[in-house]
């Protein structure tokens, strides 16, 4: 490879210092061709207390877990968008009107809502609008720090409608991880109060039930 070709190849990395966490390709947050083989979706999962099924990329372990950690705690929004695209490639477009992300916790230091970023990736594949309509009613402890029993005790009105626009619509809820499914159920309840209906939920990964 000659010097001009080398400089051209390195230019994206100099301008945008990022690289695919799987193959190391520079200038991109992740390669779709790297992410797709990592996804091993189970059959749609019924969630306790929900009227919809969960579509998820696979269990919360190995590469899927590592990508979530990099996305959230590395504050890597661009990676989240590509992860959402991968989900949109592996799942067929559902019969729904809008993608609605689970809201970011009040006063979160993250600076972006990873669920909304995943939804933006799904939007690219499914050509479906993202409606950022939900909000937490008040400050509460992030679910990742709680035990299972504490998660399930989340108040039924913990999530509320932050903006109008859901009435009469079929909604796809989007989140990064489903552990107990409680957050998605509370989001569903908010959607119903706003006049919408949840067709299904999509997450990057999930925590399988202990047997």
């Amino acid at each position: 490879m000659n010097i001009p070709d080398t400089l051209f190849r390195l230019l994206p990395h100099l301008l945008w210092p990022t690289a695919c966490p799987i193959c190391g390709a520079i200038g991109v947050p992740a390669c779709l061709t790297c992410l797709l083989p990592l996804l091993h979706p189970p059959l749609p999962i019924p969630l306790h207390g929900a009227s919809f099924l969960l579509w998820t990329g696979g269990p919360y372990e190995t590469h899927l877990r590592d990508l979530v950690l990099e996305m959230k705690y590395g504050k890597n929004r661009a990676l989240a968008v590509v992860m959402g695209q991968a989900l949109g490639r592996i799942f067929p477009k559902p019969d729904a009107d809008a993608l609605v992300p689970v809201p970011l916790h009040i006063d979160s230091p993250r600076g972006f809502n990873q669920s909304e970023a995943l939804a933006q990736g799904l939007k690219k594949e499914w050509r479906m609008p993202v409606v950022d309509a939900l909000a937490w009613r008040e400050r509460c402890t992030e679910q990742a720090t709680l035990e299972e029993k504490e998660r399930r005790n989340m108040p039924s009105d913990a999530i509320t409608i932050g903006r109008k626009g859901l009435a009469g619509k079929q909604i796809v809820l989007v989140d990064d991880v489903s552990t107990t499914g409680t957050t998605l159920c509370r989001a569903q309840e908010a959607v119903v109060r706003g006049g919408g209906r949840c067709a299904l939920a999509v997450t990057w990964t999930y925590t399988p039930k202990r047997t």
Side-chain angles (χ1 to χ4, degrees):
M1 183 178 293
N2 59 39
I3 292 176
D5 286 342
T6 302
L7 290 175
F8 182 78
R9 182 173 59 85
L10 292 175
L11 183 60
H13 184 60
L14 296 174
L15 294 176
W16 303 281
T18 186
C20 174
I22 308 301
C23 73
I26 60 174
V28 294
C31 306
L32 272 174
T33 52
C34 290
L35 296 185
L36 288 172
L38 303 179
L39 297 171
H40 299 285
L43 292 173
I45 300 170
L47 296 176
H48 178 72
S51 62
F52 55 85
L53 295 175
L54 172 66
W55 291 2
T56 184
Y60 184 69
E61 57 189 28
T62 61
H63 288 304
L64 297 190
R65 176 196 60 222
D66 294 343
L67 287 165
V68 168
L69 297 177
E70 167 59 23
M71 169 185 69
K72 293 174 71 170
Y73 302 112
K75 299 182 179 181
N76 195 336
R77 185 183 186 279
L79 172 61
V81 174
V82 183
M83 289 163 63
Q85 282 186 265
L87 290 171
R89 289 276 180 96
I90 208 161
F91 290 119
K93 180 180 179 180
D95 183 14
D97 301 306
L99 299 157
V100 175
V102 166
L104 185 67
H105 282 274
I106 298 172
D107 292 338
S108 170
R110 190 163 301 125
F112 76 97
N113 181 357
Q114 71 276 4
S115 300
E116 186 273 339
L118 287 168
Q120 291 296 338
L122 285 163
K123 174 184 176 180
K124 289 186 176 186
E125 299 297 323
W126 288 351
R127 299 294 187 265
M128 189 181 297
V130 176
V131 181
D132 198 1
L134 304 182
W136 290 95
R137 185 171 56 84
E138 59 186 25
R139 292 173 179 82
C140 59
T141 305
E142 288 206 34
Q143 297 299 291
T145 66
L146 299 178
E147 298 295 330
E148 180 174 343
K149 184 177 179 180
E150 294 174 304
R151 291 170 184 257
R152 293 193 182 281
N153 287 336
M154 184 189 299
S156 61
D157 61 348
I159 296 178
T160 187
I161 295 293
R163 57 175 281 198
K164 297 180 180 180
L166 300 185
K169 296 188 183 303
Q170 293 267 58
I171 299 303
V172 176
L173 291 172
V174 182
D175 204 0
D176 56 346
V177 182
S178 175
T179 303
T180 63
T182 305
T183 300
L184 290 170
C185 287
R186 299 298 178 264
Q188 173 196 231
E189 291 165 11
V191 167
V192 171
R193 290 195 296 271
R197 178 183 177 276
C198 290
L200 61 101
V202 178
T203 66
W204 173 253
T205 184
Y206 79 111
T207 302
K209 290 183 179 180
R210 297 172 183 171
T211 57

